[in-house]
Amino acid sequence: MTKNEALKKYFGYDSFREGQEKLIDAILAGCDVLGVMPTGAGKSICYQIPALLLPGITLVVSPLISLMKDQVFALKQAGVAAAYLNSSLTLGQYCKALSNAMAGMYKIIYVAPERLETPGFTAFAQSARISLVAVDEAHCVSQWGHDFRPGYLNVARFVESLPVRPPVAAFTATATRRVREDISALLRLKNPETLVTGFNRPNLYFEVRRVTESEKRGQLLSIVQERRGQSGIVYCSTRKAVEEVCALLEAAGVPATRYHAGLSDKERHANQEAFLFDEKPVMAATNAFGMGIDKSNVAYVLHYNMPKDPESYYQEAGRAGRDGSPAACILLYSGRDVKLNEFLIEKSLSENEELSEKQKETVRRESLERLRQMTFYCTGRGCLRGYLLRYFGEDAPARCNGCSNCLSGVREEDVTELAQAIVSCIDETGGLYGAKRLTDILRGDDDPQGQSLARFESFGALSSTPRGQILACIDALLADEYLAVAPGQYRSLRPGPRADEIERGMSCVLAMPVAAEKTARARRTAPAVDKPLYARLVDLREKIAFRKHVAPYLIFTNATLEEMSVKKPRTRAEMLAISGMGERKFALYGEAFLQICKEE
């Protein structure tokens, strides 16, 4: 069987996506590989196709039980013998699965990194014919990555302990150059074929909304209610915020659930199942939820708080639109988010007993720099997509016309008087305050905690100017180097290299943002979907999923059903030509879906 035949037979695709074939060929040639491909680009195909063509067993090192379960179920649906070995199995189930593995009954076995060095698994690995070791979410091996997991450091030692070293294939969705170098070194990859396919996801719309903390709840409800009936994830930085957001959504009649590390394993599992099965299509969660979540119909990802770095943000936002359908990634940003993340970074370091003081200082410096980059994303006026692409080392055009900044545009505005008042306030207060407190002073809003701000001459100087306009002007002054952020964790503002131009009375003309019209948001042109037929196909999928007790998207993705409703296949051959319809899936479900298409 050729790789193309395997792709069509088991997965229902006629051709490979960008980068897949190159990595597959390298693995089949016995080479190590490092693939950096965006979420939804088909990384799993890159090791699953070689696993089917190579003679022995492929081990897949994976970080999460939920991911293993989804992958194994999908493989079994495609007719591939697969299993997972993790803590969700009872002792009897684990021993049975290990016995089956020793008997050569599986082509692909998923395993947690910590399992690699257990005696039973080690004995199996020493006697089995292992043709490939694939490392999913490989950025977890690097302490410079955003999801460092010490167990991943076991992988290289495990591979080198095998009687015959197989090729090692490492995959991740988000990795800067430094993290890629770390992955290669720590996994001890040998002259790996490295491929970075590009991070761009054209179907995703990016938006940042500058809001105050008091405005966040209203914005949240507005965004979710606009998308009622659609599946979405709301990410929060703390457990407390998750609880508050979930309660707010439920009170508004939104079927929502929650996920964070403070819940019991049983409740987390139940809530995740409710989300995956669309019983509760909206999930409020911390970053403890999501790595490996393969739900294809997530229509939007909303960040209630700014994440601590661009890597986390892009991976979390990338859980939207995995099936290629248009999806929205919206971030609600307030200045308090920066302080919260600084606190969380310090808390994480203080609780980490594995690092020396010197290592902690290095991690602190790196973490604060990534936070600074994330803040620039939220406050900048340039193309949001372009900023993310350039952060990951990729060239990008000046405008994408698919983000709020590009669609909003900017206008040249003379803000000389506003800028003079801001710089004068900074001078008077000695550069002690950040944007929010400076705005309080200029607006004449006294400190609710009792610290009087009225002692400053600048107090109330801009009392008639909207708060948002002052904050937008501060952002623009920062971008054009009239202002600068002082070093340290409190993000106080000070005069920048060009501040003297304002102090000398020179005109200050800045590019100020213009609000975007909702109707102007870029969207991919959708196919002419037959909505009644699509609804019937969705109904059939849900009935099958309920009967089999699996998530609907594991039967067929929305994109596959949309294609059926557009092309309306009438024969087995026409149905097999639908993307995502492999031979095994046709044998399981094809006739039932074909019958509905014939009735139209």
Side-chain angles (χ1 to χ4, degrees):
M1 184 186 302
T2 67
K3 62 192 177 190
N4 292 84
E5 290 170 341
L7 181 69
K8 182 61 180 175
K9 177 179 179 179
Y10 293 104
F11 303 105
Y13 300 119
D14 294 315
S15 59
F16 290 102
R17 297 181 187 178
E18 180 188 0
Q20 288 179 328
E21 196 166 10
K22 181 178 181 180
L23 294 176
I24 289 168
D25 287 342
I27 293 170
L28 292 175
C31 301
D32 288 357
V33 305
L34 171 55
V36 182
M37 307 166 74
T39 303
K43 293 184 290 295
S44 58
I45 290 287
C46 295
Y47 60 79
Q48 289 170 348
I49 291 293
L52 293 168
L53 300 180
L54 292 170
I57 297 169
T58 289
L59 294 181
V60 182
V61 179
S62 182
L64 291 180
I65 290 173
S66 58
L67 173 59
M68 298 185 204
K69 288 182 175 179
D70 283 354
Q71 293 276 14
V72 168
F73 178 83
L75 286 169
K76 287 181 176 178
Q77 292 288 289
V80 179
Y84 54 80
L85 299 172
N86 58 42
S87 59
S88 72
L89 301 176
T90 64
L91 180 60
Q93 290 172 329
Y94 181 80
C95 291
K96 178 64 175 175
L98 199 57
S99 175
N100 290 343
M102 290 179 174
M105 293 178 62
Y106 306 125
K107 286 295 292 179
I108 302 177
I109 299 174
Y110 286 78
V111 61
E114 293 80 8
R115 183 75 47 179
L116 297 176
E117 296 195 334
T118 58
F121 189 84
T122 301
F124 152 70
Q126 291 296 318
S127 61
R129 182 176 185 182
I130 297 175
S131 299
L132 172 65
V133 173
V135 184
D136 203 5
E137 307 291 354
H139 62 274
C140 291
V141 76
S142 172
Q143 68 170 332
W144 309 120
H146 56 290
D147 283 312
F148 174 57
R149 182 158 166 173
Y152 268 69
L153 297 173
N154 301 332
V155 175
R157 185 165 58 246
F158 167 79
V159 169
E160 293 184 353
S161 74
L162 297 173
V164 178
R165 184 191 186 279
V168 178
F171 298 94
T172 183
T174 51
T176 59
R177 181 181 299 277
R178 181 171 190 173
V179 173
R180 294 198 297 270
E181 292 171 352
D182 230 13
I183 291 171
S184 185
L186 293 171
L187 293 179
R188 300 176 196 168
L189 302 182
K190 296 184 176 180
N191 300 315
E193 178 73 51
T194 300
L195 179 70
V196 181
T197 61
F199 293 90
N200 191 22
R201 298 274 304 284
N203 63 310
L204 299 184
Y205 163 79
F206 292 95
E207 179 176 354
V208 173
R209 298 190 186 183
R210 287 290 305 271
V211 297
T212 63
E213 284 297 315
S214 61
E215 293 171 335
K216 279 191 175 182
R217 291 187 167 208
Q219 289 286 331
L220 165 72
L221 288 176
S222 174
I223 292 166
V224 173
Q225 288 173 337
E226 281 178 9
R227 295 162 175 79
R228 186 172 287 275
Q230 296 182 336
S231 181
I233 303 173
V234 181
Y235 277 109
C236 306
S237 292
T238 65
R239 300 175 188 180
K240 180 182 178 182
V242 168
E243 296 289 346
E244 292 174 351
V245 163
C246 188
L248 180 67
L249 293 173
E250 289 179 325
V254 177
T257 188
R258 58 188 180 155
Y259 191 106
H260 59 70
L263 303 177
S264 67
D265 289 344
K266 182 178 180 181
E267 183 174 354
R268 283 202 304 271
H269 176 74
N271 292 352
Q272 181 168 304
E273 290 284 294
F275 174 69
L276 294 176
F277 283 80
D278 284 329
E279 296 167 10
K280 299 286 185 71
V282 180
M283 172 66 81
T286 62
N287 61 7
F289 176 80
M291 188 194 294
I293 292 298
D294 201 22
K295 195 171 193 282
S296 65
N297 68 332
V298 175
Y300 64 94
V301 170
L302 168 63
H303 279 81
Y304 193 70
N305 306 105
M306 178 185 73
K308 66 183 186 300
D309 51 60
E311 291 93 339
S312 299
Y313 176 68
Y314 201 59
Q315 187 173 67
E316 290 162 6
R319 284 160 194 145
R322 288 180 64 101
D323 63 356
S325 300
C329 307
I330 303 173
L331 193 159
L332 303 181
Y333 169 80
S334 78
R336 189 176 297 178
D337 290 336
V338 179
K339 293 279 185 68
L340 175 59
N341 277 299
E342 289 171 345
F343 167 77
L344 293 174
I345 289 170
E346 290 300 326
K347 184 173 184 290
S348 175
L349 287 171
S350 67
E351 294 174 351
N352 191 332
E353 298 179 355
E354 297 181 5
L355 298 179
S356 67
E357 288 304 315
K358 184 177 181 181
Q359 289 172 322
K360 285 183 180 181
E361 182 53 38
T362 301
V363 173
R364 177 182 291 107
R365 186 170 59 252
E366 292 284 338
S367 298
L368 291 175
E369 173 58 25
R370 289 199 293 267
L371 175 59
R372 191 169 72 97
Q373 295 296 328
M374 190 67 226
T375 307
F376 286 162
Y377 170 82
C378 293
T379 58
R381 292 167 295 149
C383 172
L384 296 174
R385 188 188 313 275
Y387 184 91
L388 291 169
L389 295 180
R390 285 187 290 273
Y391 178 83
F392 289 110
E394 187 172 331
D395 292 334
R399 295 173 63 85
C400 73
N401 295 318
C403 75
S404 57
N405 280 5
C406 286
L407 296 174
S408 297
V410 294
R411 66 168 180 267
E412 296 293 318
E413 185 175 338
D414 189 330
V415 294
T416 303
E417 291 186 8
L418 196 57
Q420 287 174 338
I422 291 170
V423 171
S424 176
C425 184
I426 291 173
D427 286 340
E428 183 189 2
T429 57
L432 295 176
Y433 298 128
K436 181 180 180 300
R437 184 53 55 86
L438 289 170
T439 303
D440 289 340
I441 295 171
L442 290 164
R443 287 267 304 158
D445 298 333
D446 220 340
D447 186 353
Q449 297 179 352
Q451 181 184 1
S452 176
L453 302 177
R455 67 184 186 278
F456 297 114
E457 291 185 11
S458 302
F459 188 79
L462 299 176
S463 58
S464 61
T465 305
R467 172 176 292 273
Q469 187 176 346
I470 297 174
L471 290 170
C473 185
I474 289 174
D475 287 342
L477 290 168
L478 281 166
D480 285 358
E481 297 188 324
Y482 290 99
L483 300 180
V485 178
Q489 61 176 336
Y490 296 108
R491 295 192 57 78
S492 55
L493 298 181
R494 64 183 183 183
R498 299 181 62 189
D500 64 318
E501 297 177 24
I502 296 174
E503 293 170 341
R504 293 201 308 269
M506 297 174 64
S507 295
C508 182
V509 178
L510 301 176
M512 299 293 285
V514 180
E517 294 294 331
K518 292 180 182 178
T519 54
R521 291 176 184 167
R523 290 292 185 268
R524 189 187 66 177
T525 302
V529 173
D530 184 325
K531 292 184 178 179
L533 173 56
Y534 178 73
R536 293 182 64 194
L537 294 171
V538 168
D539 184 60
L540 174 59
R541 179 182 65 177
E542 290 183 352
K543 289 177 179 177
I544 294 172
F546 179 79
R547 188 171 68 247
K548 288 183 167 288
H549 194 65
V550 297
Y553 69 88
L554 291 174
I555 305 297
F556 290 118
T557 67
N558 287 354
T560 296
L561 297 189
E562 286 178 359
E563 188 175 341
M564 287 185 202
S565 73
V566 172
K567 295 184 177 178
K568 301 176 181 175
R570 293 291 189 271
T571 66
R572 179 180 185 274
E574 290 176 350
M575 184 61 92
L576 283 170
I578 298 293
S579 181
M581 180 66 76
E583 292 180 9
R584 173 68 174 170
K585 282 204 171 182
F586 182 86
L588 290 171
Y589 317 118
E591 288 292 349
F593 285 87
L594 185 60
Q595 186 59 40
I596 289 181
C597 291
K598 286 180 178 179
E599 292 172 2
E600 289 297 314

